[in-house]
Amino acid sequence: MQLLIVDDSPAMRSFIRRVLDLCGLECGSCLEANDGQEALAVLQNNPVDLVLTDINMPRMDGEELLRRMASDASLYRIPVVIVSTDRTEARKEKMITLGARGYVSKPFTPERMRDALENILDHQGASPQGGSNGPQ
């Protein structure tokens, strides 16, 4: 399974990688991007099974990234999980409406992240312990 972690904080990207390791989720590789604009460039050049993205980032935020992915025939099926400090129900609902498949509030436990990812991967037909059928 190949993941893309999108966050303007290098420390948070590193932390998410460590949490994924602690969760026992085998990632073939974790690609990284500083914001939505960089994420779109990465997505155009790399097959990705899942995107984990923050919302508040410079240049292009997570909300606009979701919109762009939803309107791109090659990207709209890639599941996206929001990882954000915004805990409001209104924000969560908006992101789900825009196409996010999950929402994890910061700070989070490894178990919370694992549960969110396993739920999405189970619905996608991928095994959380490695191996993926890719987007359906």
Side-chain angles (χ1 to χ4, degrees), residues 89-107:
E89 282 304 313
R91 182 62 132 180
K92 290 178 187 178
E93 288 176 20
K94 182 174 188 176
M95 300 310 286
I96 298 298
T97 300
L98 289 172
R101 305 256 183 99
Y103 197 105
V104 178
S105 298
K106 297 176 191 174

Side-chain angles (χ1 to χ4, degrees), residues 6-8 12 16 51-57 61-63 66 80-88 91-92 95 100 102-109 112-113:
V6 187
D7 197 298
D8 57 320
M12 181 52 69
I16 290 171
V51 174
L52 298 169
T53 185
D54 190 12
I55 298 173
N56 299 314
M57 298 176 288
D61 65 15
E63 192 172 310
L66 271 177
V80 177
V81 175
I82 302 300
V83 183
S84 177
T85 56
D86 190 335
R87 295 173 167 263
T88 64
R91 182 62 132 180
K92 290 178 187 178
M95 300 310 286
Y103 197 105
V104 178
S105 298
K106 297 176 191 174
F108 53 85
T109 64
R112 171 71 180 108
M113 178 66 77

Side-chain angles (χ1 to χ4, degrees), residues 84 99 117 136:
S84 177
L117 297 182
Q136 301 295 319

